[in-house]
Structure formats: C-alpha cells, structure tokens
Amino acid sequence: MKRFILFLPLFALALGAGFVSCSGSSASSRPVRAESVAIWLKNCTNITWLPRQVSGRYDGASARDNINQTAAGHAAKRSSYGTAPGGYVRLDPRMLRAVKILAEEGYSFNVTSIAGGSHSRTSRHYAGLAIDINRINGRHVGYGNPYWRKFLQRCRELGATETLGPGDRGHSTHIHAAWPRT
Ligand SMILES: [Zn+2]
C-alpha cells in the first residue's frame, strides 16, 4: 500500500507530462508573438535548454534563462564576459517560430546558447537572432551525427541566413543558425 501511495504522484506526473505535446499545426499567417511561442517552446518535451553557459558560468543568461525570460514577456539577458556586451535583447519571433516548427517536425535537440554566452564580436546572438544546438535526436553534433546537415537545411528553409556546423571553424561540436537583421 505504501508503495502504491508513493507511485501515485509519479503516475500523475507522467500523465501530466503526456499532455505536453510538440505536435500541432503551424499553418497560420498571423504574426506570432515571441512570448506565446516561447511559452510553447519551454513546455515542449522535444527541446532541452542548457541551464548554464557552455563556459560553465551561471549568469542568468543561459539558454534556459533566455526562453523563460521571453515566455514571461521580458527581454532576454545577455552575458557580460568576453566579447558579450551585457544588457538585454528581445528574442526574434522568426527564430523562435522556426525552432517550434523543427520540434513539431519531430526533431529533439538541446539548445546551448541564444542571447547569452561570448561569441564573435558582431555575433547575431547579441541581437537575439541566433541559436546554438549541440545535440540532435539524442546524438552529439559532429561528423558522426547523421541529422545536423538536414537540420541546418531546414533552418535555411525557415529563414536562417547564417548556418554553421562541423567543418566550419569553432563549430565542430555544435551548429549555429542565425536569422537576418531587420
Ligand atoms: Zn552561435
């Protein structure tokens, strides 16, 4: 009986998680607000968000922090080390919408950086336009991962104009997709 009582909340939790679905239609021509897409994304079980910087820092500007800040209607925090400029930036809804579509298409992935972290001096990360991903469909990004090329191709089809991955300098273990400045 004791064992049953212990398992009951776990069972309820599993049931609850089952309601979080990453499927559904994206067919809509209405402009999509960053906040509502971010709420969908943070609840999507296909996507994980690194809770710290790749450098190991906890500075409130991790991928998880950025998606939570956007879901709460706030600007996303940038880091303040290396070439990172500090301050805050709104995440671009075109990028968020593309990430949502990739999850809906069945991709699972781990996001390591959005507006936070230290990148090249003029990086689009600082403008809320870029995303880094280091795992796709349970596999680390690298030459041995069969998914990242098609994934980056989908990013381009969904509007990304700067896509980098294995073979590009500094991107042997993650992919980078960035949307154009407006
Ligand atoms: Zn990047």
Side-chain angles (χ1 to χ4, degrees), residues 36-58:
S36 57
V37 185
I39 291 168
W40 189 96
L41 290 172
K42 69 175 278 189
N43 289 321
C44 175
T45 51
N46 281 4
I47 312 173
T48 50
W49 311 86
L50 192 67
R52 61 180 184 282
Q53 300 303 338
V54 174
S55 64
R57 288 171 171 79
Y58 285 87

Side-chain angles (χ1 to χ4, degrees), residues 113-114 119 123 125 130-133 162 164 171 174-177:
S113 182
I114 313 176
H119 309 270
S123 173
H125 282 286
I131 192 163
D132 287 344
I133 288 167
E162 179 182 71
L164 303 167
H171 293 80
H174 75 276
I175 58 155
H176 163 100

Side-chain angles (χ1 to χ4, degrees), residues 41 91-100 114 128-131 158 177-179:
L41 290 172
L91 299 188
D92 192 285
R94 295 168 298 166
M95 171 184 70
L96 296 173
R97 185 169 157 81
V99 173
K100 178 175 185 260
I114 313 176
L129 293 164
I131 192 163
L158 294 167
W179 276 254

